[in-house]
């Protein structure tokens, strides 16, 4: 019988040797990739801990399977299980079309206040990539998960709400720049200091804990000065206030440059980068997407808002093999709640074909094991996935892009990973 993972008074996760972890099997290809992935998890844990640690898996329902069995896309029992057990993992979910929940994933993030969307992007040798040097891409994205346009505050043109918004903007606030007022829809982009700070704080702490060289605040503050620009400014202020002995900021570099000259500023920046202090810098979003292609080695941890993070995480994933192998997590570092998930869709036309790549779920499970402190099992899986790809024993998505590769089914790919554990 499993036990619950709990958050200790010291703010650290308390993980028993036999935790119960809820899982959502997922829709479409979900069952195929989950059944392969869970065998990898169990085998790695057994290899690493010889029976002293074991996960008790608890299936909970969401998405199409939940709707077919219960009439609800997200049963209350499922949400309660995610609240009670803190840590969970899920496959891809169908989002209902035409009303109801905007997105089951967004519903989970909002309900559990999972303010960090964590997306590590790392290259595995041999993975097909459009990049000349994909091995230079090694970043961890901290995407703010609860604000920005994903708050879902929108008003459709022609509705009383849009008319009221138009009237308020033009008559109360004196806005003159709405080009076609009679056919304009409106969206509101909330960005708070508290929401920004907790995201950036988590990113800096992650960089410190993992001994990574830099945190880059990615924003569009040159245009959206009071939302994205404020996000950048709040980030620098937080870094200098809460981590002053552990970081060196771009602001400090600019100040040193003015006071002592560029050569001294550059030397201090160089020493900070070598000497263990984390460099805090920023980049405008469009320029960052360019630099991520031209000089990805210059970036390590990325802290950004919700919409930017959506674009960036998929763009970077494409550089190292696509979202088919991209893992993800949604985390509240204060309460301990964390949901680890496949980042791709349900691909319903490939359901029950046993052909799809399970790596997104498998590597999300790696993130979950790391979060639990079970790093030995996590490292075994990461290495074994790398070996399977390096040996060109892969599923159809990679097989069609590789020369002289061996085509494996989903279940056979799991077997290949287990063989290397």
């Amino acid at each position: 019988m499993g036990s619950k993972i709990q958050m200790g008074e010291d703010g650290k996760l308390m993980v028993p040797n036999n935790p119960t972890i809820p899982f959502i099997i997922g829709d479409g290809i979900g069952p195929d990739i989950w059944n392969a992935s869970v065998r990898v998890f169990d085998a790695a844990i057994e290899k690493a801990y010889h029976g002293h640690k074991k996960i008790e898996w608890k299936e909970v329902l969401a998405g199409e399977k939940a709707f077919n069995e219960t009439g609800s896309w997200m049963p209350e029992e499922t949400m309660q299980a995610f609240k009670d057990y803190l840590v969970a993992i899920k496959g891809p979910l169908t989002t209902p079309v035409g009303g109801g929940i905007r997105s089951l994933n967004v519903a989970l993030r909002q309900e559990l206040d999972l303010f960090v969307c964590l997306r590590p992007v790392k290259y595995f040798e041999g993975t097909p990539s459009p990049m000349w040097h994909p091995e230079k891409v090694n970043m961890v994205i901290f995407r703010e998960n609860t604000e920005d346009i994903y708050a879902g505050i929108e008003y459709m043109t022609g509705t009383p709400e849009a008319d009221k918004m138009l009237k308020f903007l033009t008559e109360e606030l004196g806005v003159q720049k709405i080009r076609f007022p009679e056919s304009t829809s409106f969206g509101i982009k909330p960005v708070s200091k508290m929401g920004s700070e907790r995201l950036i704080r988590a990113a800096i702490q992650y960089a410190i804990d993992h001994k990574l060289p830099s945190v880059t605040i990615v924003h569009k503050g040159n245009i959206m000065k009071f939302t994205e620009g404020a996000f950048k400014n709040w980030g620098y202020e937080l870094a200098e206030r809460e981590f002053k002995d552990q970081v060196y900021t771009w602001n400090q570099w600019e100040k040193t440059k003015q006071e002592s000259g560029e050569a001294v500023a550059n030397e201090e920046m160089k020493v900070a980068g070598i000497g263990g202090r984390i460099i805090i810098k920023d980049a405008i979003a469009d320029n960052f997407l360019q630099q991520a292609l031209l000089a990805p080695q210059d970036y390590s941890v990325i802290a950004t808002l919700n919409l930017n993070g959506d674009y960036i995480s998929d763009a970077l994933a494409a550089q190292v093999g696509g979202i088919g192998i991209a893992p993800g997590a949604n985390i509240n570092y204060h309460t301990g709640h964390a949901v680890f998930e496949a980042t791709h869709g349900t691909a319903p036309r490939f359901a029950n074909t046993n052909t799809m790549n399970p790596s997104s779920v498998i590597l999300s499970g790696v993130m979950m094991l790391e979060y639990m402190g079970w790093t030995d099992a996590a490292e075994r899986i990461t290495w074994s996935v790398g070996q399977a790809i390096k040996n060109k024993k892969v599923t159809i998505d990679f097989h069609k892009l590789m020369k002289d590769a061996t085509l494996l089914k989903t279940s056979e790919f799991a077997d290949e990973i287990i063989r290397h554990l």
Side-chain angles (χ1 to χ4, degrees), residues 121-139 292-293 296-297 316-321:
V121 183
K122 178 185 175 185
Y123 181 69
F124 288 95
E125 183 183 347
T127 304
S129 167
M131 299 280 288
W132 280 107
H133 291 289
E135 73 281 355
K136 293 181 178 180
V137 181
N138 190 0
M139 300 184 214
L293 291 170
Q297 70 277 4
L316 290 179
Q319 295 178 217
V320 297

Side-chain angles (χ1 to χ4, degrees), residues 3 120 145 207 226 240 243 245 258 262 274 282-283 369 373 377 387 414:
S3 305
N145 221 7
F226 303 138
E240 291 164 2
F243 299 94
D245 296 327
Q258 289 174 3
E262 191 163 344
I274 296 169
D282 73 276
L369 293 169
Q387 288 299 112

Side-chain angles (χ1 to χ4, degrees), residues 319-358:
Q319 295 178 217
V320 297
I323 61 171
I325 64 163
N330 300 284
I331 302 173
N332 183 319
Y333 285 100
H334 302 157
T335 64
H337 287 103
V339 179
F340 299 83
E341 64 178 352
T343 59
H344 53 71
T346 58
R349 69 193 179 102
F350 297 109
N352 305 312
T353 61
N354 194 28
T355 57
M356 294 292 99
N357 192 337

Side-chain angles (χ1 to χ4, degrees), residues 65-77:
K65 182 175 181 180
F67 185 75
N68 291 340
E69 293 188 20
T70 72
S72 170
W73 292 94
M74 177 66 73
E76 183 53 42
E77 295 88 341

Side-chain angles (χ1 to χ4, degrees), residues 302-319:
I302 308 303
T304 192
L305 285 163
N306 209 323
L307 183 60
N308 293 334
D310 202 2
Y311 298 148
I312 288 166
S313 54
D314 280 19
L316 290 179
Q319 295 178 217

Side-chain angles (χ1 to χ4, degrees), residues 222-376:
N222 56 326
I223 303 299
M224 292 174 274
K225 299 184 186 301
F226 303 138
T227 50
E228 306 239 349
F231 177 81
K232 178 198 80 168
N233 294 336
W234 290 330
Y236 276 129
E237 289 165 8
L238 174 116
E240 291 164 2
R241 183 176 70 245
E242 296 187 13
F243 299 94
K244 62 180 181 180
D245 296 327
Q246 296 163 292
V247 304
Y248 188 82
T249 70
W250 211 250
N251 288 352
Q252 290 171 303
W253 181 84
E254 288 283 3
K255 188 178 178 183
T256 304
K257 186 172 76 168
Q258 289 174 3
E259 293 176 352
S260 307
E262 191 163 344
V264 174
N266 284 336
E267 189 59 32
E268 286 203 20
M269 181 68 82
K270 183 178 174 184
V271 169
I274 296 169
R277 282 204 287 167
I278 309 297
I279 294 170
I280 311 293
K281 53 188 176 177
D282 73 276
I284 294 170
D286 45 343
N287 183 52
F288 171 77
L289 286 167
Q290 176 185 238
Q291 292 304 316
L293 291 170
L294 299 175
Q297 70 277 4
D298 291 347
Y299 301 94
S300 180
V301 176
I302 308 303
T304 192
L305 285 163
N306 209 323
L307 183 60
N308 293 334
D310 202 2
Y311 298 148
I312 288 166
S313 54
D314 280 19
L316 290 179
Q319 295 178 217
V320 297
I323 61 171
I325 64 163
N330 300 284
I331 302 173
N332 183 319
Y333 285 100
H334 302 157
T335 64
H337 287 103
V339 179
F340 299 83
E341 64 178 352
T343 59
H344 53 71
T346 58
R349 69 193 179 102
F350 297 109
N352 305 312
T353 61
N354 194 28
T355 57
M356 294 292 99
N357 192 337
S359 296
S360 183
V361 174
I362 290 172
L363 295 173
S364 296
V366 167
M367 294 176 69
M368 182 183 76
L369 293 169
E370 289 172 344
Y371 184 69
M372 292 162 55
W374 293 15
T375 52
D376 190 357

